[in-house]
Amino acid sequence: MGGVTVLTASYAGAASAPAYARLAGLAAELPGELLVRRDAGWPVLVYDDAAEAIAAAADLREAASLVPAGELLRIALHTSPTMAPAVRHAEQLLAIANPGQTLLTATTASGLADAFTDLGMHRLRDLGSAERILELTATAEPLRSLDQVPNNLPVMFTSFVGWQTQVAALRTQLSGNRLVTLTGPGGSGKTRLAAQTAAQLAERWPDGVWWVDLSALTDAGQIPEAVAAAIGLLVESGDRLLLGQLRTKRALICLDNCEHIIDGVAEFVLALHTGCPEISVLATSREPLDLPGEAIWRVPALAPDEARALFVERAGTEFPKSEQAIRSICLRLDGIPLALELAAARVRTLTPEQIEAGLSDRFGLLTKNVRGVAARQQTLAASIGWSYELLSPDEREVFQRLAVFAGGFTLDAAAAVCDVVLEDFARLVDKSLVVAEGGRYRLLETIREYAAARLAEAGETDRTRSRHLDHYLTVAETAEPLLDVDREAWRARIEPDRENYRAALEYGLPANDPERGRRLAAALRWLWNLQATGNEGIGYLRRAIERAPDDRSLLQARLLYGYATVADTVDPFGYDAAGRGLALATELGDDRLRSHFLALVAVGEFFTDFQKAWDLTAEGVRLAGDNEPAQNANIALQCVLLSLWDRHDELRPLLDRAADGLISSGERGIATTVLTVWAESLMSTGEPSKAVEVAERALAAAEPLGDFHRVGAARGQLATLLVRTGRLDEARELMRPLLELAETAGAVVSNLGQVMGLISYWSGEYDAAVEWVARETAADGPLAETFVPAMLLPSVAAAMRAGGRDPVEVLERAVVLARRYNLPRILADALDQLGRVAMVAQPDKAADLLHQALTIRVDHGLRTYVIDSLESLALLANHTNRPADAVRLAAAAAAARVDLGLATPPDHPDLPTSDEPPLSLDEAVAYARRTRGARGRPSSGWASLTPTEQQVVDLAVEGLSNPAIGERLFMSRGTVKTHLAHVYAKLGVANRTELASLKKT
């Protein structure tokens, strides 16, 4: 390519003055023009030919190898059309080089045949986009580029000009202060100076440099959300969770544009510095935060030479005959960067002399009419006002109306709200009044404020905000059907305009006629399930509901539905939206909406009355008809219930159906629940490896939501399965971030106690295992009357028994609760452990208990837990002097553990082994039952029936059908049929009639 190639060189690290003197001497012997500069102690040479520059670099490298410190020399080359940008870029490249490296940019290497080493794409410290870097000779050290430090620093599409001394001074300030605030008027360059300083110091903060633009925020309560989103942390309402995650981090957080929520920023920074001792903050604001220890850096104007360089570079050309006019422009604009850039944008249509004349007229007018405003703000206002006056009447009208957008907008939105003509809009972009960013557009905040003031003067604010509301209401209502078929597509359409939707709601809900605001709130209901903004969402939804408290329309029902869906994870008991909505949907005769509400009401009943919850969801499925989202909402809860009832043969078809529908439609929240249920079912029924795969799918489904609760539940489920399959360290690491949140931020993590209790148990930390679930299992605790303690008590008892404590009382309570809530797996676990406890003193009682547990596990297909039964029965055989039985059962259990990939518990009993081929799991079960029948139960007659078979007989004689018996005993109709077949064989009858007659006799 044409232009100039710059070669610059310096030593890595601290080098002596003699070393740099030797370097200057070596550079003087090279061909090329040696620049004389006052601001650097290292040489810069300029070449017209890139190949010549590369050859000179090789000569310099060879010469340096013969002098002291030559191994520390680093060299950089860059080619650019003009001199000043080429020098700056070469020096930025030099800054990332290691000792002994010679780096060049792709523009320098272009078209040359030399063999270069491609180092890939890297970002330099000037905050430009990543670019390809090459090396003349290969070295092992990674480049010291911006990519080596975690960051989200913004990409700057223009070069950083001037302020080198300011950056150096700010670096010193940040070295000694945890809070540095850059202050100055809008457009003074605070943002660019802060970003450049952060980039140059990025390596100081190993946990990252994080840029947070606060300009679009309307409420200080959104600050933690914005910070968490920038860093990629889990979020929830308030700052406690965020502070907990940052407590041990060493990072720099850059808060840009703080002035409009200054008090909230000050409170947040104070909390951050109080709770996070190694977090530093670099803020930009029009006024200080006024906090103790704050170092205030007032951003000065660019020096005259710097201002001139900025104007010329942004103009894109030199003006040899206009030097005096350019100097005058820079002086009269007080060296304020935004004013200079706006002026430079006019060189496409005006000469520097015309620009100078225009400034002279406009400044006098605006300064005279703006009172009580700082001088530099007057200057900036004058420059913007002058640009505004140069617009055509149509352009001015569009510019004013654009002020109603918040956080960016699309061209379609601008056309709808502002009657944009593409040509006018393009001129606004060209004149730097509108910023284009990847298909979206925005006004710089200072520019937006100016446009808003002009809109107000024109008396058009209300009308334009109304059109803004109309547009986003149309977009939201048009997108709403996607919620039923493709939520990812809905999210992609709605999420980028979150700030505009907030602005529209804030205008529409307080209006004299709130109808449009209420409709928008109803259409946006799912937005608040994303990024943990539930509290904000239910705030909008409740305001919308209460704007018309007596309304009995479908809109009110939709608002209640929206509130109930969002509140499910953030405030489930604060407001009976589901109950009120169900009554209203019933009154309106809307079966589809009734179905949705029934699922939500069922969730409320779930903890204390499974059957009532089931009945509600069954009615919900019936009312849903062929509406899949309504069906799936109810079926998801049915999946949970069937899993708890261990009716896995009925569960699997529902899981397939619900999971596929939910995932394909993008309903990640409920899909996560269904997938975790599926994973637990697979583990229970003997497919542990597949269970882990499904649990990983559940976590993958949850993570894009950024919802702390969903992600926590999915991580906990996966960790549980990892423990059971022998991957204890992986499970502990998976839970570590959630454990830190709970310990440092006081976050309430779903199932944390249960999961950490299990990890503790499998780690041999039995007292800790009991302590982890003490609150959930307390007999007088808040969950005592729910099913939750039943799920945990067998694990508590196992830890107590392993730790040498008596678990009988705990197990007896578990039995009572398991029977009350019909939890077969839990009941079997408790009976099995009671059998082990009774084994020595009461072997007959132990045998009854262990065989009851085995029967439950076999009847419900709990193959994983059948292994526990075989081990318990092997232990009993040992105690009752039946070594052959003990060997067969123990060998079968051990082989099944290996086949299924299950870990061995830390308190596993010592059991006899055998070299004989082990029985299969099914063969071992049959063997255990045969040996039990031979010793304690006859093979025929009433005494031969198992407890479960006796229950089936009683219900059959009462006249219940097989499905009804299955419903009552929580087993499938096929299992009922099998039990009856066994009963008929043992009693010698052929059908129910004969069975009833025999029973009467």
Side-chain angles (χ1 to χ4, degrees):
M1 63 174 290
V4 297
T5 299
V6 169
L7 181 157
T8 184
S10 72
Y11 294 103
S16 64
Y20 272 103
R22 286 193 296 271
L23 177 59
L26 295 175
E29 296 177 7
L30 298 173
E33 178 187 357
L34 185 62
L35 294 185
V36 178
R37 301 191 306 154
R38 294 171 296 176
D39 57 347
W42 50 85
V44 175
L45 294 103
V46 180
Y47 298 85
D48 293 327
D49 181 65
E52 184 181 4
I54 292 172
D59 292 341
L60 179 59
R61 173 70 63 202
E62 182 177 356
S65 67
L66 304 176
V67 301
E71 72 275 8
L72 300 178
L73 186 66
R74 50 188 183 173
I75 304 172
L77 301 102
H78 174 61
T79 303
S80 181
T82 55
M83 176 88 68
V87 172
R88 279 199 303 274
H89 203 71
E91 291 181 335
Q92 289 291 336
L93 180 61
L94 186 67
I96 71 169
N98 292 297
Q101 276 189 313
T102 300
L103 302 180
L104 61 157
T105 59
T107 56
T108 302
S110 176
L112 299 179
D114 302 63
F116 305 116
T117 301
D118 188 345
L119 301 180
M121 303 294 288
H122 293 269
R123 269 190 94 186
L124 306 186
R125 301 298 173 103
D126 63 357
L127 294 174
S129 299
E131 62 180 294
R132 188 166 300 282
I133 305 299
L134 300 102
E135 185 182 23
L136 284 180
T137 54
T139 57
E141 293 294 319
L143 293 183
R144 299 167 60 242
S145 65
L146 201 54
D147 309 277
Q148 296 301 312
V149 178
N151 74 89
N152 70 332
L153 287 169
V155 174
M156 300 295 183
F157 296 101
T158 56
S159 56
F160 182 72
V161 179
W163 273 337
Q164 297 303 322
T165 57
Q166 308 300 327
V167 171
L170 268 174
R171 289 172 59 136
T172 302
Q173 286 277 17
L174 273 171
S175 297
N177 299 277
R178 290 180 59 209
L179 171 60
V180 176
T181 303
L182 278 65
T183 64
S188 60
K190 303 183 295 295
T191 294
R192 189 61 189 268
L193 183 56
Q196 194 65 46
T197 303
Q200 298 224 353
L201 292 176
E203 65 274 7
R204 285 191 186 175
W205 291 279
D207 293 312
V209 174
W210 305 107
W211 189 264
V212 187
D213 185 359
L214 304 179
S215 61
L217 271 57
T218 58
D219 183 351
Q222 299 165 4
I223 296 173
E225 171 193 336
V227 173
I231 303 177
L233 299 176
L234 297 173
V235 293
E236 68 175 6
S237 179
D239 62 14
R240 185 180 63 177
L241 177 61
L242 174 63
L243 297 180
Q245 295 174 89
L246 294 175
R247 196 174 304 280
T248 60
K249 302 298 184 184
R250 187 179 174 194
L252 175 66
I253 296 177
C254 305
L255 301 175
D256 191 31
N257 297 306
C258 302
E259 54 272 358
H260 60 299
I261 48 173
I262 191 75
D263 292 337
V265 174
E267 292 177 8
F268 174 76
V269 172
L270 185 61
L272 193 65
H273 276 183
T274 301
C276 308
E278 294 195 274
I279 296 293
S280 297
V281 174
L282 179 61
T284 73
S285 176
R286 296 185 187 181
E287 59 182 305
L289 303 184
D290 287 331
L291 289 175
E294 179 184 19
I296 301 170
W297 184 267
R298 301 192 183 280
V299 177
L302 290 169
D305 286 345
E306 294 174 331
R308 178 198 173 279
L310 177 64
F311 179 89
V312 170
E313 187 155 322
R314 295 298 187 263
T317 184
E318 293 276 354
F319 300 92
K321 297 181 180 180
S322 301
E323 183 65 22
Q324 183 176 348
I326 292 172
R327 294 278 181 184
S328 176
I329 291 168
C330 294
L331 178 65
R332 297 176 69 176
L333 290 179
D334 286 346
I336 295 178
L338 178 57
L340 290 166
E341 296 197 4
L342 289 171
R346 302 308 306 162
V347 299
R348 297 183 183 182
T349 53
L350 300 174
T351 66
E353 287 77 8
Q354 289 173 317
I355 294 171
E356 181 190 18
L359 282 175
S360 184
D361 291 340
R362 299 305 175 189
F363 273 151
L365 176 63
L366 290 176
T367 300
K368 192 163 43 182
N369 287 319
V370 179
R371 303 183 185 278
V373 178
R376 284 181 182 152
Q377 286 178 305
Q378 292 182 22
T379 303
L380 182 58
S383 65
I384 300 172
W386 167 69
S387 296
Y388 174 76
E389 291 296 333
L390 291 177
L391 298 176
S392 70
D394 288 344
E395 290 170 348
R396 290 182 198 172
E397 195 170 79
V398 170
F399 174 63
Q400 292 172 1
R401 292 172 178 172
L402 290 174
V404 301
F405 289 104
F409 52 90
T410 63
L411 186 58
D412 287 344
V417 175
C418 308
D419 290 329
V420 162
V421 175
L422 182 58
E423 184 178 350
D424 292 338
F425 188 76
R427 281 196 290 267
L428 292 176
V429 173
D430 196 39
K431 295 171 184 178
S432 300
L433 290 171
V434 175
V435 179
E437 297 175 325
R440 290 180 63 83
Y441 303 89
R442 66 182 175 91
L443 272 63
L444 297 175
E445 185 58 25
T446 302
I447 302 293
R448 194 194 69 77
E449 289 180 5
Y450 184 90
R454 302 288 80 78
L455 187 66
E457 286 178 1
E460 290 291 309
T461 300
D462 188 69
R463 188 171 77 90
T464 308
R465 290 196 69 183
S466 180
R467 294 185 64 173
H468 178 271
L469 170 59
D470 283 339
H471 170 71
Y472 285 103
L473 175 59
T474 298
V475 173
E477 290 187 333
T478 302
E480 199 170 5
L482 288 173
L483 288 172
D484 287 346
V485 294
D486 190 347
R487 295 203 173 196
E488 295 300 326
W490 184 93
R491 181 181 185 179
R493 187 175 300 182
I494 300 298
E495 177 75 31
D497 279 301
R498 183 185 285 264
E499 298 302 330
N500 279 308
Y501 286 114
R502 282 171 170 150
L505 287 167
E506 291 296 345
Y507 175 76
L509 289 176
N512 291 333
D513 181 0
E515 179 77 4
R516 290 180 298 164
R518 281 163 41 82
R519 285 167 53 196
L520 182 60
L524 292 176
R525 61 186 180 276
W526 198 65
L527 181 64
W528 316 111
N529 283 319
L530 303 173
Q531 304 302 325
T533 50
N535 283 316
E536 180 186 4
I538 62 175
Y540 283 126
L541 287 158
R542 188 158 185 170
R543 283 170 62 190
I545 292 166
E546 294 178 352
R547 280 308 319 268
D550 299 324
D551 181 29
R552 306 300 292 171
S553 69
L554 180 60
L555 174 58
Q556 188 79 333
R558 292 174 60 233
L559 287 167
L560 287 164
Y561 172 64
Y563 187 103
T565 58
V566 179
D568 181 37
T569 56
V570 294
D571 186 28
F573 306 113
Y575 189 71
D576 185 24
R580 291 178 56 189
L582 178 59
L584 182 52
T586 302
E587 177 184 318
L588 295 170
D590 189 321
D591 285 350
R592 175 179 177 274
L593 198 53
R594 283 178 65 197
S595 175
H596 280 295
F597 275 119
L598 282 165
L600 292 166
V601 173
V603 170
E605 299 290 346
F606 170 69
F607 284 93
T608 56
D609 193 333
F610 286 177
Q611 190 60 51
K612 187 172 182 180
W614 177 271
D615 292 342
L616 289 166
T617 58
E619 178 67 3
V621 170
R622 186 187 69 79
L623 290 173
D626 59 358
N627 184 269
E628 288 193 10
Q631 286 181 358
N632 288 334
N634 287 279
I635 289 172
L637 186 55
Q638 288 187 336
C639 289
V640 177
L641 290 166
L642 288 172
S643 177
L644 290 169
W645 286 329
D646 288 304
R647 291 158 61 175
H648 299 281
D649 52 349
E650 296 174 62
L651 171 63
R652 292 299 171 81
L654 289 184
L655 287 171
D656 287 332
R657 172 183 171 189
D660 289 345
L662 291 164
I663 292 172
S664 65
S665 67
E667 176 45 285
R668 291 180 175 272
I670 302 177
T672 300
T673 299
V674 170
L675 287 169
T676 56
V677 168
W678 195 342
E680 183 61 37
S681 175
L682 288 165
M683 170 56 80
S684 295
T685 56
E687 299 182 80
S689 60
K690 188 173 180 182
V692 172
E693 293 176 6
V694 173
E696 289 171 342
R697 284 178 60 197
L699 181 55
E703 283 179 330
L705 292 174
D707 186 314
F708 163 67
H709 303 283
R710 301 283 192 190
V711 172
R715 276 182 175 250
Q717 175 66 22
L718 178 56
T720 297
L721 299 177
L722 292 175
V723 168
R724 297 294 307 277
T725 53
R727 297 157 67 180
L728 185 59
D729 289 341
E730 291 179 55
R732 192 179 288 109
E733 182 62 23
L734 188 67
M735 294 302 292
R736 182 181 56 78
L738 298 177
L739 184 60
E740 289 176 356
L741 291 179
E743 291 177 344
T744 61
V748 179
V749 182
S750 300
N751 299 327
L752 179 65
Q754 179 179 351
V755 179
M756 293 309 301
L758 186 70
I759 290 174
S760 297
Y761 168 72
W762 283 76
S763 302
E765 301 167 356
Y766 303 121
D767 288 342
V770 175
E771 186 62 30
W772 267 112
V773 294
R775 180 179 179 274
E776 287 87 347
T777 57
D780 57 351
L783 301 174
E785 297 305 315
T786 72
F787 77 97
V788 173
M791 304 297 295
L792 303 175
L793 287 172
S795 297
V796 171
M800 292 174 64
R801 187 164 50 83
R805 297 159 61 182
D806 183 2
V808 171
E809 184 178 344
V810 169
L811 290 169
E812 288 176 344
R813 182 178 168 220
V815 169
V816 171
L817 290 174
R819 292 191 189 280
R820 178 188 304 170
Y821 287 102
N822 295 302
L823 303 169
R825 178 173 64 84
I826 301 302
L827 177 59
D829 287 349
L831 293 173
D832 188 89
Q833 291 194 58
L834 281 170
R836 289 198 183 195
V837 172
M839 199 171 289
V840 175
Q842 299 173 288
D844 289 341
K845 178 180 179 181
D848 286 337
L849 292 168
L850 295 179
H851 276 277
Q852 286 183 54
L854 175 62
T855 296
I856 293 170
R857 287 164 170 168
V858 171
D859 287 351
H860 292 84
L862 303 175
R863 295 181 66 80
T864 295
Y865 299 97
V866 166
I867 296 172
D868 297 329
S869 281
L870 295 179
E871 289 170 342
S872 296
L873 289 168
L875 199 60
L876 177 63
N878 251 354
H879 279 293
T880 55
N881 197 26
R882 292 182 289 132
D885 293 347
V887 167
R888 288 189 180 91
L889 296 175
R897 278 195 183 278
V898 173
D899 289 345
L900 296 184
L902 292 168
T904 301
D907 61 335
H908 190 267
D910 290 330
L911 294 170
T913 59
S914 171
D915 293 332
E916 296 182 7
L919 299 174
S920 69
L921 200 59
D922 292 333
E923 289 171 338
V925 168
Y927 179 83
R929 285 177 159 173
R930 285 198 305 274
T931 56
R932 167 63 175 165
R935 296 183 59 84
R937 180 179 290 137
S939 60
S940 62
W942 289 108
S944 70
L945 301 186
T946 67
T948 302
E949 288 169 348
Q950 290 171 0
Q951 288 179 297
V952 170
V953 168
D954 290 340
L955 295 175
V957 170
E958 287 181 24
L960 273 67
S961 64
N962 286 4
I965 294 172
E967 287 285 337
R968 185 74 62 87
L969 298 181
F970 301 99
M971 62 180 65
S972 70
R973 67 186 65 183
T975 302
V976 174
K977 185 177 179 180
T978 300
H979 279 307
L980 284 172
H982 291 164
V983 168
Y984 295 161
K986 290 178 180 181
L987 299 181
V989 298
N991 52 47
R992 286 171 175 255
T993 303
E994 293 181 9
L995 177 63
S997 298
L998 185 62
K999 178 74 171 173
K1000 290 178 182 179
T1001 61

